[in-house]
Amino acid sequence: LALKRMSVRKDYRGLGIAAALGRTALAFARQRGCRAVVLNTLMLQHEARALYERLGFRRHRRYVLPTAYGRLANCTITTYRYDLSGTP
């Protein structure tokens, strides 16, 4: 399952909503027999990366955005993976 564009409006951040959404996505994937949940995040999204790591996602790989701008700005993408195999 690929998780894309999860966000919480700024004035509602810090209330645990994103963590609940993340846990719900993991439960959804688990119930449907998915082997893993993957997502990409930009290097500048510090809070998002910290959230994914708290939820148990592991860094899978990093790469520079393969565009002229990405190379010029060294825009790094981190791919995270949450393995579901062997979990109830």
Side-chain angles (χ1 to χ4, degrees):
L1 180 98
L3 181 60
K4 292 190 161 211
R5 293 178 185 92
M6 183 173 81
S7 65
V8 174
R9 202 168 88 179
K10 284 186 181 185
D11 50 333
Y12 287 95
R13 292 180 187 168
L15 301 174
I17 295 168
L21 286 170
R23 285 190 300 271
T24 300
L26 292 172
F28 175 88
R30 190 175 288 116
Q31 290 168 358
R32 279 148 185 83
C34 295
R35 291 180 291 173
V37 177
V38 295
L39 60 90
N40 295 322
T41 188
L42 294 171
M43 62 184 180
L44 299 174
Q45 296 172 309
H46 304 290
E47 293 87 359
R49 290 188 357 242
L51 168 69
Y52 300 136
E53 291 176 14
R54 280 194 310 274
L55 289 173
F57 283 83
R58 300 290 173 240
R59 289 182 192 172
H60 186 62
R61 76 176 244 229
R62 283 185 161 164
Y63 60 94
V64 173
L65 190 63
T67 63
Y69 170 77
R71 289 187 296 275
L72 181 64
N74 194 30
C75 185
T76 305
I77 306 292
T78 303
T79 299
Y80 282 90
R81 181 180 177 97
Y82 187 106
D83 286 308
L84 294 166
S85 58
T87 58

